[in-house]
Amino acid sequence: QVRLVESGGGCVQAGGSLKVSCQGGLNSNRNYCMAYFRQAPGKEREGVAAIYIRDRSTTYDDSVKGRFTISQGDVKSTVHLQMNNLTSEDTAVYYCAAVFSMDGSCRRVASAYNSWGQGTQVTVFS
């Protein structure tokens, strides 16, 4: 397990943008999947985007494709989630997650990850 610290989030009007970031205490090994999940009140935690640190390959949930971008920061253990054209449906607590992976198959399933950030609130109002 690694320690993950999140920052960013906040409140924004519908149509606006926000960015959340995750700083991970990863070692020099780049074989990690890092992902963002979100959980709205009364709903299950869902994976919205994932990135494989070694080759920067990414996957997205259909609900955020074309609006959200997950990327690796200048510091290799930092990951950003840029969220554009936000709607009220995007309101949730956003969690960063990480797991070691040799093959880079970064699934967006919560049970596949063993390290989690503390979560940060994203609220989109009309």
Side-chain angles (χ1 to χ4, degrees):
Q1 293 188 347
V2 297
R3 183 170 181 264
L4 302 174
V5 179
E6 300 181 55
S7 60
C11 295
V12 68
Q13 193 168 19
S17 299
L18 283 173
K19 184 168 77 171
V20 292
S21 299
C22 177
Q23 174 78 45
L26 306 181
N27 57 29
S28 59
N29 191 319
R30 300 169 65 105
N31 295 333
Y32 275 90
C33 292
M34 293 186 74
Y36 268 97
F37 291 77
R38 67 185 180 188
Q39 189 166 20
K43 294 187 177 181
E44 293 187 357
R45 191 169 296 191
E46 62 174 353
V48 296
I51 185 169
Y52 189 48
I53 297 301
R54 175 163 290 278
D55 63 10
R56 303 192 182 196
S57 57
T58 59
T59 65
Y60 296 91
D61 186 78
D62 286 345
S63 65
V64 305
K65 277 182 182 176
R67 300 188 300 122
F68 289 14
T69 301
I70 189 168
S71 62
Q72 186 176 329
D74 292 337
V75 177
K76 71 173 187 291
S77 61
T78 298
V79 170
H80 305 293
L81 183 69
Q82 176 67 43
M83 303 178 288
N84 299 327
N85 194 21
L86 286 159
T87 75
S88 59
E89 296 295 311
D90 298 314
T91 295
V93 177
Y94 283 71
Y95 297 90
C96 173
V99 67
F100 179 81
S101 173
M102 283 299 295
D103 63 5
S105 54
C106 300
R107 296 185 298 154
R108 296 187 310 274
V109 176
S111 59
Y113 292 79
N114 59 9
S115 298
W116 291 87
Q118 78 279 13
T120 186
Q121 178 70 45
V122 170
T123 302
V124 184
F125 57 92
S126 300

